[in-house]
Amino acid sequence: LNLERLDDRFELGSFFEKRLLVAKDVSADALNSQAAYMLKALSGDSLIKAEIKHQNRRVSLKGPFNVAITSNSDLFIKLQGDAPAWQRRLIIIKFRKKKGLVVENKLSEKMFKDEGSIILNWMIQGAIRARAILDEKDQFPKTAEQEKRVNELLRLSDSVKAFVSEELQSDTKGKITTSALYEAYEN
């Protein structure tokens, strides 16, 4: 998934018959582009028309697509009055590198050899459980910490609105200069 090219006429065609879209190691402003707005449509249940390159044909894409995005940065979203739609779609998982972690060479090969069937069964059980949750609730449940992360992302993505709603108070006799208001916003 190349977020910068989502508005390219052939990019969507590459998602035909796919269910999982992955964007790896994106920049902090990757979701702040006009093209990234298409993610909302892809993760919803909209019917999207796409062109297949070198085949001169159009296909219909039916969501929702599952989208995984990894980044070393905190991301910001270009909100267009659609914060509730993003709030329903986002689950933010933070991964922190633990200090003093010992790296074992060829760990994946060893795990596959020694515990491959156990890991596969664990994954299948998890997939069955996840499908049951999605069938019942139509979305994955979020922990309070995950909800907090999503709300903070949306708040920071529209910082002016957050400043106005959280910091300003109505006062018919009060006065403030533009520079003082801007300084308060910056602080």
Side-chain angles (χ1 to χ4, degrees):
L1 174 61
N2 186 338
L3 295 174
E4 292 80 27
R5 294 187 49 209
L6 280 177
D7 57 355
D8 178 274
R9 64 186 250 205
F10 296 116
E11 186 66 17
L12 295 177
S14 66
F15 306 152
F16 184 58
E17 296 183 339
K18 303 286 190 294
R19 300 296 344 141
L20 175 65
L21 308 177
V22 179
K24 299 174 188 173
D25 200 20
V26 302
S27 64
D29 64 343
L31 296 178
N32 212 9
S33 69
Q34 190 62 32
Y37 187 72
M38 180 58 73
L39 274 180
K40 210 171 69 176
L42 289 168
S43 61
D45 55 6
S46 304
L47 191 64
I48 301 168
K49 297 287 184 186
E51 293 181 60
I52 305 290
K53 194 170 187 173
H54 304 299
Q55 292 188 13
N56 196 25
R57 72 179 178 123
R58 293 176 62 84
V59 295
S60 295
L61 304 175
K62 179 74 171 118
F65 288 87
N66 298 299
V67 180
I69 300 172
T70 64
S71 180
N72 291 324
S73 306
D74 289 330
L75 302 179
F76 297 94
I77 299 174
K78 182 175 187 163
L79 296 175
Q80 299 177 352
D82 55 355
W86 284 106
Q87 190 173 32
R88 285 191 308 274
R89 288 170 167 82
L90 292 173
I91 297 176
I92 300 172
I93 302 170
K94 298 272 187 181
F95 293 93
R96 306 252 187 265
K97 186 175 181 181
K98 295 183 178 180
K99 293 182 181 177
L101 196 62
V102 177
V103 177
E104 186 175 330
N105 289 331
K106 299 186 179 185
L107 179 61
S108 61
E109 292 173 17
K110 181 180 176 189
M111 289 177 68
F112 182 76
K113 180 181 171 230
D114 297 346
E115 302 175 22
S117 62
I118 296 168
I119 294 169
L120 177 62
N121 286 330
W122 174 72
M123 291 172 63
I124 292 170
Q125 289 170 357
I128 292 168
R129 189 166 159 238
R131 175 69 353 204
I133 290 170
L134 285 174
D135 286 344
E136 181 182 327
K137 299 184 179 188
D138 201 32
Q139 68 179 26
F140 283 110
K142 297 177 196 168
T143 66
E145 184 62 32
Q146 287 170 330
E147 290 282 357
K148 182 179 172 185
R149 283 188 216 124
V150 169
N151 291 336
E152 184 66 8
L153 166 67
L154 296 175
R155 188 179 150 282
L156 292 173
S157 294
D158 196 352
S159 60
V160 172
K161 183 177 180 180
F163 171 73
V164 169
S165 65
E166 295 170 13
E167 301 296 329
L168 297 185
Q169 298 176 3
S170 178
D171 183 353
T172 56
K173 296 179 183 176
K175 293 181 182 179
I176 189 166
T177 64
T178 304
S179 60
L181 187 61
Y182 184 72
E183 184 180 339
Y185 167 72
E186 285 290 310
N187 289 335

PDB file of all heavy atoms in Angstrom, residues 7-34:
ATOM      1  N   ASP A   7      -4.359   8.253  -4.951  1.00  0.00           N
ATOM      2  CA  ASP A   7      -5.198   8.970  -5.910  1.00  0.00           C
ATOM      3  C   ASP A   7      -4.782   8.690  -7.356  1.00  0.00           C
ATOM      4  O   ASP A   7      -5.364   9.220  -8.288  1.00  0.00           O
ATOM      5  CB  ASP A   7      -5.199  10.474  -5.622  1.00  0.00           C
ATOM      6  CG  ASP A   7      -3.808  11.080  -5.631  1.00  0.00           C
ATOM      7  OD1 ASP A   7      -2.810  10.348  -5.758  1.00  0.00           O
ATOM      8  OD2 ASP A   7      -3.717  12.321  -5.500  1.00  0.00           O
ATOM      9  N   ASP A   8      -3.803   7.819  -7.566  1.00  0.00           N
ATOM     10  CA  ASP A   8      -3.392   7.404  -8.900  1.00  0.00           C
ATOM     11  C   ASP A   8      -4.459   6.466  -9.462  1.00  0.00           C
ATOM     12  O   ASP A   8      -4.971   5.599  -8.753  1.00  0.00           O
ATOM     13  CB  ASP A   8      -2.038   6.688  -8.816  1.00  0.00           C
ATOM     14  CG  ASP A   8      -1.576   6.174 -10.161  1.00  0.00           C
ATOM     15  OD1 ASP A   8      -1.977   5.051 -10.532  1.00  0.00           O
ATOM     16  OD2 ASP A   8      -0.820   6.895 -10.829  1.00  0.00           O
ATOM     17  N   ARG A   9      -4.800   6.606 -10.714  1.00  0.00           N
ATOM     18  CA  ARG A   9      -5.920   5.860 -11.273  1.00  0.00           C
ATOM     19  C   ARG A   9      -5.712   4.347 -11.304  1.00  0.00           C
ATOM     20  O   ARG A   9      -6.670   3.582 -11.333  1.00  0.00           O
ATOM     21  CB  ARG A   9      -6.276   6.380 -12.660  1.00  0.00           C
ATOM     22  CG  ARG A   9      -5.192   6.188 -13.677  1.00  0.00           C
ATOM     23  CD  ARG A   9      -5.555   6.856 -14.963  1.00  0.00           C
ATOM     24  NE  ARG A   9      -5.842   5.871 -15.980  1.00  0.00           N
ATOM     25  CZ  ARG A   9      -5.728   6.106 -17.270  1.00  0.00           C
ATOM     26  NH1 ARG A   9      -5.385   7.278 -17.691  1.00  0.00           N
ATOM     27  NH2 ARG A   9      -5.996   5.176 -18.131  1.00  0.00           N
ATOM     28  N   PHE A  10      -4.459   3.882 -11.299  1.00  0.00           N
ATOM     29  CA  PHE A  10      -4.216   2.443 -11.336  1.00  0.00           C
ATOM     30  C   PHE A  10      -3.879   1.854  -9.965  1.00  0.00           C
ATOM     31  O   PHE A  10      -3.884   0.636  -9.812  1.00  0.00           O
ATOM     32  CB  PHE A  10      -3.075   2.114 -12.304  1.00  0.00           C
ATOM     33  CG  PHE A  10      -3.392   2.458 -13.727  1.00  0.00           C
ATOM     34  CD1 PHE A  10      -2.661   3.417 -14.397  1.00  0.00           C
ATOM     35  CD2 PHE A  10      -4.431   1.826 -14.398  1.00  0.00           C
ATOM     36  CE1 PHE A  10      -2.949   3.739 -15.712  1.00  0.00           C
ATOM     37  CE2 PHE A  10      -4.735   2.142 -15.709  1.00  0.00           C
ATOM     38  CZ  PHE A  10      -3.987   3.108 -16.373  1.00  0.00           C
ATOM     39  N   GLU A  11      -3.572   2.659  -8.990  1.00  0.00           N
ATOM     40  CA  GLU A  11      -3.152   2.133  -7.683  1.00  0.00           C
ATOM     41  C   GLU A  11      -4.244   1.281  -7.048  1.00  0.00           C
ATOM     42  O   GLU A  11      -3.974   0.211  -6.519  1.00  0.00           O
ATOM     43  CB  GLU A  11      -2.777   3.288  -6.748  1.00  0.00           C
ATOM     44  CG  GLU A  11      -2.204   2.843  -5.431  1.00  0.00           C
ATOM     45  CD  GLU A  11      -0.852   2.153  -5.534  1.00  0.00           C
ATOM     46  OE1 GLU A  11      -0.175   2.280  -6.562  1.00  0.00           O
ATOM     47  OE2 GLU A  11      -0.479   1.459  -4.573  1.00  0.00           O
ATOM     48  N   LEU A  12      -5.484   1.736  -7.107  1.00  0.00           N
ATOM     49  CA  LEU A  12      -6.575   0.974  -6.501  1.00  0.00           C
ATOM     50  C   LEU A  12      -6.780  -0.380  -7.177  1.00  0.00           C
ATOM     51  O   LEU A  12      -7.172  -1.345  -6.536  1.00  0.00           O
ATOM     52  CB  LEU A  12      -7.871   1.780  -6.539  1.00  0.00           C
ATOM     53  CG  LEU A  12      -7.888   3.067  -5.718  1.00  0.00           C
ATOM     54  CD1 LEU A  12      -9.206   3.796  -5.917  1.00  0.00           C
ATOM     55  CD2 LEU A  12      -7.638   2.783  -4.257  1.00  0.00           C
ATOM     56  N   GLY A  13      -6.488  -0.447  -8.459  1.00  0.00           N
ATOM     57  CA  GLY A  13      -6.634  -1.701  -9.191  1.00  0.00           C
ATOM     58  C   GLY A  13      -5.743  -2.805  -8.650  1.00  0.00           C
ATOM     59  O   GLY A  13      -6.074  -3.990  -8.754  1.00  0.00           O
ATOM     60  N   SER A  14      -4.630  -2.437  -8.047  1.00  0.00           N
ATOM     61  CA  SER A  14      -3.726  -3.452  -7.492  1.00  0.00           C
ATOM     62  C   SER A  14      -4.305  -4.105  -6.234  1.00  0.00           C
ATOM     63  O   SER A  14      -3.774  -5.104  -5.761  1.00  0.00           O
ATOM     64  CB  SER A  14      -2.351  -2.839  -7.192  1.00  0.00           C
ATOM     65  OG  SER A  14      -2.451  -1.879  -6.169  1.00  0.00           O
ATOM     66  N   PHE A  15      -5.398  -3.575  -5.711  1.00  0.00           N
ATOM     67  CA  PHE A  15      -6.031  -4.136  -4.513  1.00  0.00           C
ATOM     68  C   PHE A  15      -7.117  -5.159  -4.861  1.00  0.00           C
ATOM     69  O   PHE A  15      -7.720  -5.739  -3.963  1.00  0.00           O
ATOM     70  CB  PHE A  15      -6.657  -3.041  -3.653  1.00  0.00           C
ATOM     71  CG  PHE A  15      -5.713  -1.932  -3.278  1.00  0.00           C
ATOM     72  CD1 PHE A  15      -6.191  -0.673  -3.036  1.00  0.00           C
ATOM     73  CD2 PHE A  15      -4.345  -2.149  -3.181  1.00  0.00           C
ATOM     74  CE1 PHE A  15      -5.336   0.361  -2.693  1.00  0.00           C
ATOM     75  CE2 PHE A  15      -3.484  -1.132  -2.835  1.00  0.00           C
ATOM     76  CZ  PHE A  15      -3.976   0.123  -2.595  1.00  0.00           C
ATOM     77  N   PHE A  16      -7.366  -5.364  -6.160  1.00  0.00           N
ATOM     78  CA  PHE A  16      -8.405  -6.293  -6.594  1.00  0.00           C
ATOM     79  C   PHE A  16      -8.117  -7.681  -6.030  1.00  0.00           C
ATOM     80  O   PHE A  16      -7.018  -8.203  -6.139  1.00  0.00           O
ATOM     81  CB  PHE A  16      -8.468  -6.322  -8.124  1.00  0.00           C
ATOM     82  CG  PHE A  16      -9.571  -7.164  -8.676  1.00  0.00           C
ATOM     83  CD1 PHE A  16     -10.896  -6.908  -8.349  1.00  0.00           C
ATOM     84  CD2 PHE A  16      -9.298  -8.223  -9.517  1.00  0.00           C
ATOM     85  CE1 PHE A  16     -11.925  -7.679  -8.855  1.00  0.00           C
ATOM     86  CE2 PHE A  16     -10.311  -9.002 -10.032  1.00  0.00           C
ATOM     87  CZ  PHE A  16     -11.627  -8.731  -9.695  1.00  0.00           C
ATOM     88  N   GLU A  17      -9.130  -8.270  -5.392  1.00  0.00           N
ATOM     89  CA  GLU A  17      -9.091  -9.593  -4.765  1.00  0.00           C
ATOM     90  C   GLU A  17      -8.129  -9.673  -3.580  1.00  0.00           C
ATOM     91  O   GLU A  17      -7.677 -10.749  -3.212  1.00  0.00           O
ATOM     92  CB  GLU A  17      -8.785 -10.680  -5.803  1.00  0.00           C
ATOM     93  CG  GLU A  17      -9.874 -10.792  -6.855  1.00  0.00           C
ATOM     94  CD  GLU A  17      -9.637 -11.901  -7.862  1.00  0.00           C
ATOM     95  OE1 GLU A  17      -8.485 -12.345  -8.038  1.00  0.00           O
ATOM     96  OE2 GLU A  17     -10.623 -12.326  -8.480  1.00  0.00           O
ATOM     97  N   LYS A  18      -7.818  -8.537  -2.978  1.00  0.00           N
ATOM     98  CA  LYS A  18      -6.987  -8.504  -1.771  1.00  0.00           C
ATOM     99  C   LYS A  18      -7.887  -8.194  -0.582  1.00  0.00           C
ATOM    100  O   LYS A  18      -8.965  -7.640  -0.723  1.00  0.00           O
ATOM    101  CB  LYS A  18      -5.902  -7.421  -1.871  1.00  0.00           C
ATOM    102  CG  LYS A  18      -4.978  -7.533  -3.061  1.00  0.00           C
ATOM    103  CD  LYS A  18      -4.003  -8.654  -2.913  1.00  0.00           C
ATOM    104  CE  LYS A  18      -2.906  -8.668  -3.937  1.00  0.00           C
ATOM    105  NZ  LYS A  18      -3.239  -8.903  -5.294  1.00  0.00           N
ATOM    106  N   ARG A  19      -7.443  -8.530   0.625  1.00  0.00           N
ATOM    107  CA  ARG A  19      -8.201  -8.228   1.847  1.00  0.00           C
ATOM    108  C   ARG A  19      -7.380  -7.423   2.841  1.00  0.00           C
ATOM    109  O   ARG A  19      -7.922  -6.728   3.692  1.00  0.00           O
ATOM    110  CB  ARG A  19      -8.677  -9.512   2.555  1.00  0.00           C
ATOM    111  CG  ARG A  19      -9.563 -10.377   1.744  1.00  0.00           C
ATOM    112  CD  ARG A  19     -10.932  -9.885   1.298  1.00  0.00           C
ATOM    113  NE  ARG A  19     -11.526  -8.750   1.912  1.00  0.00           N
ATOM    114  CZ  ARG A  19     -12.224  -7.807   1.265  1.00  0.00           C
ATOM    115  NH1 ARG A  19     -12.381  -7.879  -0.021  1.00  0.00           N
ATOM    116  NH2 ARG A  19     -12.764  -6.816   1.896  1.00  0.00           N
ATOM    117  N   LEU A  20      -6.053  -7.561   2.771  1.00  0.00           N
ATOM    118  CA  LEU A  20      -5.176  -6.865   3.699  1.00  0.00           C
ATOM    119  C   LEU A  20      -4.232  -5.963   2.919  1.00  0.00           C
ATOM    120  O   LEU A  20      -3.562  -6.415   1.988  1.00  0.00           O
ATOM    121  CB  LEU A  20      -4.353  -7.870   4.524  1.00  0.00           C
ATOM    122  CG  LEU A  20      -3.297  -7.289   5.457  1.00  0.00           C
ATOM    123  CD1 LEU A  20      -3.949  -6.453   6.562  1.00  0.00           C
ATOM    124  CD2 LEU A  20      -2.444  -8.399   6.067  1.00  0.00           C
ATOM    125  N   LEU A  21      -4.200  -4.699   3.290  1.00  0.00           N
ATOM    126  CA  LEU A  21      -3.300  -3.729   2.670  1.00  0.00           C
ATOM    127  C   LEU A  21      -2.302  -3.285   3.734  1.00  0.00           C
ATOM    128  O   LEU A  21      -2.687  -2.942   4.849  1.00  0.00           O
ATOM    129  CB  LEU A  21      -4.091  -2.520   2.156  1.00  0.00           C
ATOM    130  CG  LEU A  21      -5.290  -2.836   1.256  1.00  0.00           C
ATOM    131  CD1 LEU A  21      -6.020  -1.552   0.874  1.00  0.00           C
ATOM    132  CD2 LEU A  21      -4.851  -3.600   0.018  1.00  0.00           C
ATOM    133  N   VAL A  22      -1.022  -3.285   3.390  1.00  0.00           N
ATOM    134  CA  VAL A  22       0.022  -2.964   4.363  1.00  0.00           C
ATOM    135  C   VAL A  22       0.882  -1.826   3.838  1.00  0.00           C
ATOM    136  O   VAL A  22       1.385  -1.890   2.713  1.00  0.00           O
ATOM    137  CB  VAL A  22       0.914  -4.202   4.638  1.00  0.00           C
ATOM    138  CG1 VAL A  22       2.009  -3.867   5.633  1.00  0.00           C
ATOM    139  CG2 VAL A  22       0.073  -5.370   5.136  1.00  0.00           C
ATOM    140  N   ALA A  23       1.022  -0.792   4.656  1.00  0.00           N
ATOM    141  CA  ALA A  23       1.934   0.318   4.363  1.00  0.00           C
ATOM    142  C   ALA A  23       3.038   0.268   5.410  1.00  0.00           C
ATOM    143  O   ALA A  23       2.763   0.383   6.601  1.00  0.00           O
ATOM    144  CB  ALA A  23       1.187   1.648   4.418  1.00  0.00           C
ATOM    145  N   LYS A  24       4.261   0.097   4.964  1.00  0.00           N
ATOM    146  CA  LYS A  24       5.368  -0.135   5.892  1.00  0.00           C
ATOM    147  C   LYS A  24       6.187   1.133   6.088  1.00  0.00           C
ATOM    148  O   LYS A  24       6.527   1.812   5.116  1.00  0.00           O
ATOM    149  CB  LYS A  24       6.272  -1.248   5.360  1.00  0.00           C
ATOM    150  CG  LYS A  24       5.565  -2.576   5.188  1.00  0.00           C
ATOM    151  CD  LYS A  24       6.489  -3.579   4.526  1.00  0.00           C
ATOM    152  CE  LYS A  24       5.725  -4.839   4.174  1.00  0.00           C
ATOM    153  NZ  LYS A  24       6.535  -5.754   3.389  1.00  0.00           N
ATOM    154  N   ASP A  25       6.499   1.416   7.343  1.00  0.00           N
ATOM    155  CA  ASP A  25       7.420   2.476   7.729  1.00  0.00           C
ATOM    156  C   ASP A  25       7.103   3.808   7.040  1.00  0.00           C
ATOM    157  O   ASP A  25       7.964   4.398   6.391  1.00  0.00           O
ATOM    158  CB  ASP A  25       8.859   2.037   7.442  1.00  0.00           C
ATOM    159  CG  ASP A  25       9.863   2.848   8.232  1.00  0.00           C
ATOM    160  OD1 ASP A  25       9.465   3.452   9.254  1.00  0.00           O
ATOM    161  OD2 ASP A  25      11.041   2.891   7.836  1.00  0.00           O
ATOM    162  N   VAL A  26       5.875   4.273   7.193  1.00  0.00           N
ATOM    163  CA  VAL A  26       5.456   5.519   6.539  1.00  0.00           C
ATOM    164  C   VAL A  26       5.958   6.731   7.329  1.00  0.00           C
ATOM    165  O   VAL A  26       6.276   6.640   8.506  1.00  0.00           O
ATOM    166  CB  VAL A  26       3.920   5.588   6.373  1.00  0.00           C
ATOM    167  CG1 VAL A  26       3.411   4.413   5.559  1.00  0.00           C
ATOM    168  CG2 VAL A  26       3.217   5.669   7.707  1.00  0.00           C
ATOM    169  N   SER A  27       5.998   7.874   6.660  1.00  0.00           N
ATOM    170  CA  SER A  27       6.433   9.111   7.305  1.00  0.00           C
ATOM    171  C   SER A  27       5.312   9.672   8.178  1.00  0.00           C
ATOM    172  O   SER A  27       4.154   9.279   8.060  1.00  0.00           O
ATOM    173  CB  SER A  27       6.835  10.143   6.243  1.00  0.00           C
ATOM    174  OG  SER A  27       5.706  10.485   5.467  1.00  0.00           O
ATOM    175  N   ALA A  28       5.655  10.614   9.033  1.00  0.00           N
ATOM    176  CA  ALA A  28       4.692  11.189   9.980  1.00  0.00           C
ATOM    177  C   ALA A  28       3.518  11.860   9.274  1.00  0.00           C
ATOM    178  O   ALA A  28       2.411  11.887   9.797  1.00  0.00           O
ATOM    179  CB  ALA A  28       5.392  12.185  10.897  1.00  0.00           C
ATOM    180  N   ASP A  29       3.726  12.385   8.076  1.00  0.00           N
ATOM    181  CA  ASP A  29       2.653  13.099   7.378  1.00  0.00           C
ATOM    182  C   ASP A  29       1.955  12.240   6.315  1.00  0.00           C
ATOM    183  O   ASP A  29       1.194  12.747   5.502  1.00  0.00           O
ATOM    184  CB  ASP A  29       3.190  14.384   6.755  1.00  0.00           C
ATOM    185  CG  ASP A  29       4.221  14.127   5.671  1.00  0.00           C
ATOM    186  OD1 ASP A  29       4.760  13.002   5.607  1.00  0.00           O
ATOM    187  OD2 ASP A  29       4.489  15.054   4.893  1.00  0.00           O
ATOM    188  N   ALA A  30       2.170  10.938   6.336  1.00  0.00           N
ATOM    189  CA  ALA A  30       1.603  10.055   5.307  1.00  0.00           C
ATOM    190  C   ALA A  30       0.073  10.096   5.268  1.00  0.00           C
ATOM    191  O   ALA A  30      -0.525   9.964   4.210  1.00  0.00           O
ATOM    192  CB  ALA A  30       2.082   8.622   5.520  1.00  0.00           C
ATOM    193  N   LEU A  31      -0.572  10.275   6.418  1.00  0.00           N
ATOM    194  CA  LEU A  31      -2.043  10.320   6.460  1.00  0.00           C
ATOM    195  C   LEU A  31      -2.565  11.749   6.345  1.00  0.00           C
ATOM    196  O   LEU A  31      -3.754  11.991   6.479  1.00  0.00           O
ATOM    197  CB  LEU A  31      -2.548   9.691   7.760  1.00  0.00           C
ATOM    198  CG  LEU A  31      -2.257   8.219   7.948  1.00  0.00           C
ATOM    199  CD1 LEU A  31      -2.771   7.735   9.295  1.00  0.00           C
ATOM    200  CD2 LEU A  31      -2.851   7.402   6.820  1.00  0.00           C
ATOM    201  N   ASN A  32      -1.675  12.672   6.094  1.00  0.00           N
ATOM    202  CA  ASN A  32      -2.054  14.080   6.017  1.00  0.00           C
ATOM    203  C   ASN A  32      -2.161  14.549   4.568  1.00  0.00           C
ATOM    204  O   ASN A  32      -2.181  15.740   4.295  1.00  0.00           O
ATOM    205  CB  ASN A  32      -1.025  14.933   6.782  1.00  0.00           C
ATOM    206  CG  ASN A  32      -1.646  16.146   7.398  1.00  0.00           C
ATOM    207  OD1 ASN A  32      -2.857  16.307   7.416  1.00  0.00           O
ATOM    208  ND2 ASN A  32      -0.812  17.027   7.899  1.00  0.00           N
ATOM    209  N   SER A  33      -2.225  13.608   3.649  1.00  0.00           N
ATOM    210  CA  SER A  33      -2.330  13.956   2.236  1.00  0.00           C
ATOM    211  C   SER A  33      -3.758  13.734   1.747  1.00  0.00           C
ATOM    212  O   SER A  33      -4.528  12.996   2.356  1.00  0.00           O
ATOM    213  CB  SER A  33      -1.372  13.100   1.407  1.00  0.00           C
ATOM    214  OG  SER A  33      -1.821  11.760   1.398  1.00  0.00           O
ATOM    215  N   GLN A  34      -4.067  14.352   0.637  1.00  0.00           N
ATOM    216  CA  GLN A  34      -5.394  14.183   0.046  1.00  0.00           C
ATOM    217  C   GLN A  34      -5.600  12.736  -0.389  1.00  0.00           C
ATOM    218  O   GLN A  34      -6.677  12.182  -0.250  1.00  0.00           O
ATOM    219  CB  GLN A  34      -5.563  15.131  -1.142  1.00  0.00           C
ATOM    220  CG  GLN A  34      -6.973  15.204  -1.676  1.00  0.00           C
ATOM    221  CD  GLN A  34      -7.983  15.735  -0.664  1.00  0.00           C
ATOM    222  OE1 GLN A  34      -7.669  16.557   0.173  1.00  0.00           O
ATOM    223  NE2 GLN A  34      -9.204  15.252  -0.751  1.00  0.00           N
TER     224      GLN A  34
END
